[in-house]
Amino acid sequence: MITYRKFFHRVQQRILSQARKIATAKGLRVYLVGGTVRDLFLGRPEVDLDLAVEGDGLSFAGELARQLGGRVVFHERFLTATVYWSGERVDVATTRREFYPHPGSLPEVEPADLEADLARRDFTVNAMALPLNAGDLNVIVDPFGGRLDLDKRILRVLHEDSFSDDPTRLLRGIRFVTRLKFTLEEKTYCLARQALMDGYLERIAAERYWQEFFLLLKERRPVAAWEGLIELGWRGFPEAGLPDMVAGRRVEKLLYQWKWWGKGPLDPSLVYFLVATARLKAEELEDVLEYLNFGRKKRNKVYAARRLLPVLTPSLMGRQLPLSREKGMAPEVVIFALAMTGWSQLPPWV
């Protein structure tokens, strides 16, 4: 028997133990689902907690938060909730089916059994479930062959309308492919190319587009994800076209050196964001900052990068010490400015 519980740290084990007790007391069927099961089989070092409840998932989440002494945020429209306790996040959902009124719209949901819930998901590797009371990785619900696709290291959609129903799956799929070093299954690849060619990604609300895209920027290799999208036919942002790929590759090198030199903490996703949005007009950028709910500190770094790049460009292009260096530029702004002006190595004065 291959026990799965060793893959969770102490706080997660406490949460799962409490969840099992509640499920038993209420006679509910509760499952670990989606990315949790996928990452368990991949043996990844950090596993998130995603639970699906056949029954009232919102009530279950509320009881879990109460017994743990945590807090809960409900999303009644989608029959989901998020429990926060001791620095851990648990996503809880009522098993449900989805309907899309039109391509790119938010889904309408209704309660359903586990089979229907798994069938509504994006990729086969995310459509597996493990009963919460199981102690063995072999006790698995896998109606679409997700475990076999994991072994083959491929990403496969569940049905032909997957990308048209929810075009954000195009971004999500490339995010998974890049993170897991998988490849798109042949038919899935063709469906993705066709969906991009038909402009489905432009049909979703700008807020959803940018929220999903920013998740991609948080991955370890965002530029590889951009390349994957371009290979599928992505034309970039409607307002600004493709990101500067050359600058993105310079950012990779500069961030590696920054970490190697032990220069201190910074936010890599923000540097990639600055590169990706460098061609946006000021008013369009402001909309994006609203979509992503950037706080004051992050916004100030974005504004500083926009303001200082034209000032720094002449000296940086001439490989000179920029006069603005003494003004306390944020490290994200420094790396962005270096990458945009042709630097692939950190200069001694950084």
Side-chain angles (χ1 to χ4, degrees), residues 4 191 226 247:
Y4 69 81
L191 290 171
W226 298 349

mmCIF file of all heavy atoms in Angstrom, residues 4 191 226 247:
data_model
loop_
_atom_site.group_PDB
_atom_site.id
_atom_site.type_symbol
_atom_site.label_atom_id
_atom_site.label_comp_id
_atom_site.label_asym_id
_atom_site.label_seq_id
_atom_site.Cartn_x
_atom_site.Cartn_y
_atom_site.Cartn_z
ATOM 1 N N TYR A 4 -0.847 8.004 1.048
ATOM 2 C CA TYR A 4 -0.706 9.358 0.531
ATOM 3 C C TYR A 4 -0.474 10.380 1.632
ATOM 4 O O TYR A 4 -0.041 11.495 1.387
ATOM 5 C CB TYR A 4 -1.935 9.758 -0.292
ATOM 6 C CG TYR A 4 -3.204 9.950 0.501
ATOM 7 C CD1 TYR A 4 -3.456 11.132 1.182
ATOM 8 C CD2 TYR A 4 -4.180 8.958 0.560
ATOM 9 C CE1 TYR A 4 -4.624 11.315 1.903
ATOM 10 C CE2 TYR A 4 -5.343 9.131 1.276
ATOM 11 C CZ TYR A 4 -5.564 10.323 1.946
ATOM 12 O OH TYR A 4 -6.723 10.500 2.661
ATOM 13 N N LEU A 191 -7.041 21.395 -31.019
ATOM 14 C CA LEU A 191 -8.186 22.148 -30.499
ATOM 15 C C LEU A 191 -7.753 23.500 -29.941
ATOM 16 O O LEU A 191 -8.462 24.507 -30.121
ATOM 17 C CB LEU A 191 -8.893 21.336 -29.412
ATOM 18 C CG LEU A 191 -9.651 20.083 -29.864
ATOM 19 C CD1 LEU A 191 -10.099 19.272 -28.651
ATOM 20 C CD2 LEU A 191 -10.855 20.464 -30.728
ATOM 21 N N TRP A 226 5.084 31.780 -22.489
ATOM 22 C CA TRP A 226 4.793 32.684 -23.611
ATOM 23 C C TRP A 226 5.120 31.990 -24.935
ATOM 24 O O TRP A 226 4.361 32.070 -25.887
ATOM 25 C CB TRP A 226 5.609 33.975 -23.497
ATOM 26 C CG TRP A 226 5.336 34.798 -22.287
ATOM 27 C CD1 TRP A 226 4.316 34.638 -21.404
ATOM 28 C CD2 TRP A 226 6.105 35.904 -21.815
ATOM 29 N NE1 TRP A 226 4.404 35.576 -20.403
ATOM 30 C CE2 TRP A 226 5.483 36.362 -20.630
ATOM 31 C CE3 TRP A 226 7.256 36.549 -22.262
ATOM 32 C CZ2 TRP A 226 5.976 37.453 -19.901
ATOM 33 C CZ3 TRP A 226 7.747 37.629 -21.540
ATOM 34 C CH2 TRP A 226 7.118 38.072 -20.370
ATOM 35 N N ALA A 247 13.601 40.594 -24.143
ATOM 36 C CA ALA A 247 13.726 41.172 -22.801
ATOM 37 C C ALA A 247 13.333 40.153 -21.744
ATOM 38 O O ALA A 247 13.942 40.093 -20.668
ATOM 39 C CB ALA A 247 12.865 42.426 -22.687
#
